[in-house]
Amino acid sequence: MPALVNYRGDDDYHTGGSLCSKDSTRLLSFYGSPCKRQRISDSYFHFLEEEKKPSIEVLPDEILYEIFRRLSGGQARSAAACVSSRWLTVLSNVRTSEMVHDVHEPSDDDVEMVQENDGFLTRCLEGKKATDRRLQSVAVGTSARGGLGKLSIRGSNKVTKLGFTAIAHGCPSLKVLSLWNVPSIGDESLIEISKECHLLEKLDLSHCNLISNKGISAIAQNCPNLSSLTIESCKNIGNESLQAVARCCPNLQSITIKDCPNVGDQGVATLLSSLSSVLKKVKLQSLNITDFSLAVIGHYGKSITNLALIGLQTASQKGFWAMGSAKGLQSLTSLTVVSCYGITDLSLEAIAKGCGFLKQMLIKKCCFVSDKGLISFTEAAESLECLQLEECNRISQHGILKTLKSKLKSLTIVKCMGIKDIAQETSDLTRCESLRSLSIRDCIGFGNTTMALFGTFCPQLQNLELSGLCGITDSGLYPILENCQAGLVKVNLSNCLNLTDRVVVDLAKIHGETLKVLNLEGCRRITDESLASISDYCFLLSDLDVSKCCVTDNGLRCLSEGVLIGLQILSVSCCSKISNKSVPFLKKLGQTLVGLNIQQCNLISSSLVDSLVENLWRCDILY
C-alpha cells in the first residue's frame, strides 16, 4: 500500500501528478479511459518544442546585419533595437548610407525625415547618463531623421570606442561634437568620428587626457569643414596637432587653446601663418609661448577680429610691443589681456597705434599698467568704444577721468584699489557725450567726489551700475540723477550700504518715465518709502530687486496698487518682514510676473506658498 500511495506514473502511464493529488481532473484521467504506455521519452517532445521556436537568434551577426539594414522606417529600427542588447549593437553598426529604403512606398517616418533632416538634432549626455548603450540608442533612434547634428558629453567615464562607433555610423551629418571631462575617450573614438562624420564643423575637447596628436590629426585630415576648434587641458595634444590643422583645415575661423603644456611657439606660429586669411577668433591661455608667437600674431593676424591672451607668463614686453608695432591686426575689434606681465605702458600704447579699428578692450590683472599707459592708449585708440579695467591697481582717479576724452560708450572698473576719492582740478577735463554705460564694482576707494565728476562730465548715461561701493551716499549720487539728460534705463545699486530712501525717491521722480531695471539688493536702509515712490512714478519698470532690504507687507501693497503695468521680475528674497499678509498683493502683481523670488521669506507659510504656485502657474517662483 505505501508503494501504491507514493507511486508517480510519469514514466508508465501519464504525465500528471500523484494518485493522492487533490486535482479531480487528474484522478479522473487515471481511473477513466485507459491510456497506452508511452514509448517515447519526454526529452524527445522537449526537443520537438524547441525546434518549433523562432530561430532568428541562432543567426550570426552578419545575417542579422543584412536583415536590419532592410527594415523600413525609423520606428521599425527603434523597435528592433529594444529587443536585446545584441540587436541594439548590430543595429548601431549599420551605416545610414547602407540602409535600404523603399522608394515606392514612403512611410510617415520618411516624410518626417525630409522635414527635419537639417543635421541639427541635439543631445547632451552628462554623468551616469552617458554610456555606450545610450549612444547606440541615440544613433539608432535619430538615424531616420538624418542623425544628430550636435552631441555633447560631459563628466562620464563610461563612454568608449563602441559608443562613438555607433554615433559615427548613425550620424554622418554630425556638425558639433563637445567632450568635457571624458577620460575614457581616446584617439580611437575620434578616428571613428573622422571616418564617417566628414561634415564636422566644431570640435570642443576639455580634460580628455587620452586624446593625442593622432586623434586630432585624423579629424583634421578627414573633416575639411572644421571651422571651430577648442582644446583645453589635454596634456597629450601638442604642436603636431596644430600643424595638421593648419595643413588640412582651410576653413578654420576660431581656435581656443588652454592649458596644454605640449603646445608651443612652433604649433601656434604654423597655425597662425598658414590660416592668416580666414582665422577670426583666437584665444591662447596658459601656454608656454614666447615673444615669437606674439610677433607672428601681429604680422599674420590680418583677419583676426577677436583676440584673447590670458596667463602668458613667458611673454615679455618685447613680444606685446612687437605684436602692436607689426600693424598686421587691422581687423581686430576686440582684445582681452589677462594676467600678462608683458603688458606695460609702452606695449599698451604700441597696441593702440597698431590696431586702428579696436573697439573693445579688457585689461585684467596687468600690474604694470599705470595712468600714463592708460591715457596714451585711449588717446591712440580712436575707435575705442568699450573699456573694461579689472584689478589694475596702479590706475588712479586721474587716469580714469582722463579716459573720458575719448569716444567711449561703455566704461567698466572692477576692483581697482588704486582709485582714491580726492578733489581734482577739472579745468582740463571735457564732457564725454558718448558715454552711455558706467559700471563701477567693488572699488573701495570710490566715493562721492569721483561720482560727482562723472555726473558733471557724462550727461548721456543710460545704464548705471554701482555695486559694492560703501563710500558713496545719497549726496554723491544726486549729481548723476540731476545732470543725466538721456534718462536712466538700467540702474544697479546693489550692496551700496549707505544709500537711503532719499536717493530712490529722487531716482523715481526724475527718471521714472525711462527706468526699466532697478536693483537695490543689499541696500539695508531702503524701506517701504522707496517702494511707494517706485509704484507712483516708474510705470515702465519691468525688473525690480529689493532682496535683503527693509521692506514690509505695506511696501508690497503699495507696489500692487501703483502704476506698474509691466513688472515681470520681482525679487524680495531674504526680506524678513514680509509675511502672509503679502500673499494677496503678490497674487495681484502676478498677473504680469514671469519670475518671483521669495526665498528665505520665512514668515510666509508653506501652505500660502503652495497657493501662490498654484495661482501664478505662468510665473517661475523661487521659494
Side-chain angles (χ1 to χ4, degrees), residues 272 279-280 282 297 301-307 329 331-332:
L272 292 170
L279 203 55
K280 294 182 178 180
V282 177
I297 293 174
K302 59 183 180 180
S303 297
I304 297 178
T305 58
N306 295 74
L307 177 61
L329 296 171
S331 300
L332 188 66

Side-chain angles (χ1 to χ4, degrees), residues 182-208:
V182 190
S184 57
I185 292 298
D187 293 331
E188 297 82 3
S189 300
L190 285 190
I191 291 174
E192 290 296 326
I193 293 292
S194 69
K195 290 179 180 178
E196 306 291 340
C197 305
H198 303 303
L199 300 178
L200 190 68
E201 296 179 357
K202 182 178 180 180
L203 178 62
D204 187 351
L205 304 175
S206 177
H207 294 85
C208 298

Side-chain angles (χ1 to χ4, degrees), residues 221-265:
Q221 293 170 8
N222 295 292
C223 303
N225 292 333
L226 192 68
S227 61
S228 177
L229 176 62
T230 298
I231 304 173
E232 178 180 344
S233 300
C234 298
K235 63 181 181 180
N236 290 320
I237 296 178
N239 294 328
E240 184 180 335
S241 296
L242 299 187
Q243 291 170 345
V245 171
R247 289 193 308 268
C248 306
C249 300
N251 298 314
L252 191 71
Q253 297 182 6
S254 175
I255 180 73
T256 298
I257 310 172
K258 176 183 177 182
D259 195 20
C260 295
N262 291 327
V263 172
D265 289 330

Side-chain angles (χ1 to χ4, degrees), residues 1 34 142 182 208 303 391 425 433 441 474 496 542 572 586:
M1 188 66 180
T142 61
V182 190
C208 298
S303 297
E391 300 181 54
E425 178 62 37
E433 300 283 349
R441 304 195 299 268
D474 297 343
C496 292
S542 62
V572 291
L586 292 175

